[in-house]
Amino acid sequence: MPVTTRISGNEAVAHAIRQINPDVMPAFPITPSTEIPQFVASMISNGEIDTEFIPVESEHSSMSATMGASAAGARALTATSSCGLALMWEMLYVSASSRLPIVMAVVNRGLTGPLNINAEHSDSMGARDSGWIQIYAENNQEAYDNFLQAYRIAEHKDVRLPVMICQDGFITSHAMENITLWDDEPIKQFVGEYEPEHYLLKEDESMAVGPYAVSGYCMEAKKAQAEAMKNAKKVILEVAKEFEAITGQKYGFFEEYQLEDADYAVVAIGSVCGTAKDAIDALRKKGIKAGLLKIRVFRPFPAEQIAQALKNCKAVAIMDRSEGYSGNGGPVGAEVMAALYRAHVQAEAVNIVYGLSGRDVRVEDMMEVYANLEKLAKGELTITEYPYIGLRK
């Protein structure tokens, strides 16, 4: 029977890893993801799993070793945060272009500088164009469930791309929440055994991984990689449907909360969505039609589906927990606004930066966002520059 327990987001991911029992995990500690390899190492020592744990000297090395294990035919993973993700930057592109179905737990933390260890999306958002699938969690349950689905997506023959499973540092990674842990056997059957068709150690086949590509071939490889990312959309939904059949948990590209008849909507990623839901519940009691579109899958980006979901809104606020330094807002804002424009959605739209370096966002802050959206839709407010929430005066 499934068990309801109270654990942190990092421990939830570690439980998913235990149930998957991958072959190899190279890792280097970095706050706030350090607990994940720590939990896994303890599980190995206790005989709960037989994963080969490889301590390495840096995050660049951890991704390099993960790539080597995956290329050799092993089911491999690692975990990191912030500057660790930045240090493995080169390898992110190599692993994706080499079509290696790696899974990585990314516990989101702001990139330096100034030096800070708290929640921000600048690390994974900076890697959004590296060719990795990116799936984000609002809470501990979603971090656990997303990780359980990751290998089914990554290893699919029409995809074969690495996957980042992201959660907000400290807010979910270290906070304790009630979650449901699914039974081991149904999950093991759902994930299945990894049986790669091509790998370096296959005796009757010679192959190379990551060779130099001359200009006559390289562009075709990149196009094939782009097509795999498109294919991932279908696979993500198929895997989610299978997962729902065994757990009852429903997942898609995004979650719509009170959005069907919403006049004013927030688009956001991660833990702030829980705060937005509380604000929506309070506003609905006052007769204000507020709603939320919580993005779960950021890569591949479900542009058409997002635009369709927001088409009847009067005003939309797109929330970014990272600064794009483009002078126009953050990456989520850029993507969603482009989607709305291409779909000819007429809603007024504003990009908002919030929560940088762990800055708190209150229910009252979100209620003010909705109040400003109402003013924006009525022409009572003009926003000429993307605002920051909670910025000290």
Side-chain angles (χ1 to χ4, degrees):
M1 293 288 292
V3 175
T4 299
T5 186
R6 183 175 296 173
I7 57 176
S8 69
N10 278 346
E11 192 171 2
V13 169
H15 272 283
I17 294 170
R18 179 189 62 78
Q19 292 178 307
I20 295 166
N21 192 20
D23 300 308
V24 181
M25 183 178 186
F28 188 84
I30 183 169
T31 303
S33 66
T34 299
E35 284 187 327
I36 295 174
Q38 177 185 338
F39 283 128
V40 172
S42 296
M43 291 172 181
I44 295 169
S45 297
N46 295 336
E48 298 177 66
I49 55 176
D50 53 16
T51 303
E52 183 72 25
F53 186 85
I54 305 175
V56 292
E57 69 274 13
S58 74
E59 289 85 359
H60 188 283
S61 298
S62 70
M63 182 51 67
S64 297
T66 306
M67 287 171 50
S70 182
R75 182 176 269 167
L77 79 151
T78 190
T80 196
S81 301
S82 185
C83 305
L85 186 66
L87 187 56
M88 60 174 70
W89 214 256
E90 174 192 11
M91 297 293 98
L92 295 179
Y93 284 82
V94 177
S95 55
S97 63
S98 297
R99 310 294 295 278
L100 299 174
I102 294 163
V103 174
M104 177 164 56
V106 176
V107 183
N108 289 117
R109 164 189 154 188
L111 282 169
T112 307
L115 177 62
N116 187 278
I117 63 169
N118 295 312
E120 195 178 305
H121 296 159
S122 55
D123 50 3
S124 59
M125 283 296 166
R128 66 191 179 276
D129 296 332
S130 62
W132 283 62
I133 292 167
Q134 291 189 345
I135 302 177
Y136 290 79
E138 174 191 341
N139 52 43
N140 301 5
Q141 184 73 56
E142 291 183 10
Y144 169 63
D145 291 346
N146 288 345
F147 207 95
L148 291 174
Q149 297 173 62
Y151 280 109
R152 287 289 308 278
I153 298 164
E155 294 168 359
H156 194 283
K157 63 181 178 62
D158 295 331
V159 180
R160 289 195 60 82
L161 289 172
V163 178
M164 291 182 193
I165 300 299
C166 305
Q167 62 171 314
D168 287 354
F170 293 108
I171 299 173
T172 57
S173 66
H174 285 63
M176 307 288 280
E177 288 185 349
N178 289 335
I179 78 165
T180 300
L181 299 176
W182 313 113
D183 288 342
D184 287 357
E185 196 53 40
I187 290 300
K188 289 182 185 296
Q189 293 178 11
F190 168 76
V191 177
E193 295 294 327
Y194 182 39
E195 297 179 356
E197 183 179 358
H198 307 288
Y199 53 96
L200 288 174
L201 299 184
K202 192 172 183 178
E203 293 183 0
D204 59 349
E205 182 179 52
S206 297
M207 64 176 292
V209 174
Y212 176 73
V214 296
S215 57
Y217 294 90
C218 192
M219 192 168 176
E220 285 70 22
K222 290 182 181 292
K223 175 61 174 174
Q225 184 181 343
E227 289 301 310
M229 188 63 81
K230 293 179 185 177
N231 295 341
K233 288 186 176 181
K234 179 182 177 182
V235 173
I236 287 167
L237 295 181
E238 290 174 348
V239 170
K241 190 172 183 179
E242 286 187 48
F243 189 78
E244 182 184 2
I246 65 171
T247 66
Q249 295 285 94
K250 185 178 180 63
Y251 290 100
F253 295 136
F254 47 79
E255 176 190 343
E256 298 177 58
Y257 188 79
Q258 302 276 16
L259 192 63
E260 185 175 352
D261 66 340
D263 290 330
Y264 316 109
V266 160
V267 180
I269 288 178
S271 59
V272 75
C273 295
T275 308
K277 290 174 182 177
D278 286 345
I280 290 166
D281 292 343
L283 291 169
R284 284 278 174 169
K285 290 177 181 178
K286 298 178 180 179
I288 299 171
K289 293 182 178 180
L292 169 72
L293 189 149
K294 180 185 77 181
I295 296 177
R296 172 178 177 251
V297 178
F298 191 68
R299 285 290 183 271
F301 186 70
E304 298 86 354
Q305 293 86 351
I306 287 175
Q308 178 68 20
L310 297 172
K311 67 178 183 180
N312 294 322
C313 294
K314 296 177 180 178
V316 177
I318 307 150
M319 310 281 287
D320 263 291
R321 199 165 203 145
S322 59
E323 168 62 78
Y325 296 112
S326 66
N328 295 293
V332 181
E335 299 264 2
V336 173
M337 286 189 177
L340 297 178
Y341 176 80
R342 286 195 296 269
H344 305 290
V345 174
Q346 298 301 307
E348 295 287 343
V350 59
N351 190 196
I352 297 174
V353 174
Y354 76 98
L356 300 188
S357 304
R359 183 65 58 88
D360 196 22
V361 180
R362 305 167 302 158
V363 173
E364 292 81 2
D365 295 323
M366 295 307 303
M367 293 181 73
E368 186 177 352
V369 169
Y370 285 107
N372 286 335
L373 285 179
E374 186 174 6
K375 293 177 183 177
L376 189 66
K378 293 178 178 179
E380 298 172 358
L381 178 67
T382 299
I383 298 176
T384 57
E385 184 177 351
Y386 63 98
Y388 275 52
I389 288 181
L391 192 66
R392 289 190 297 109
K393 303 300 182 183

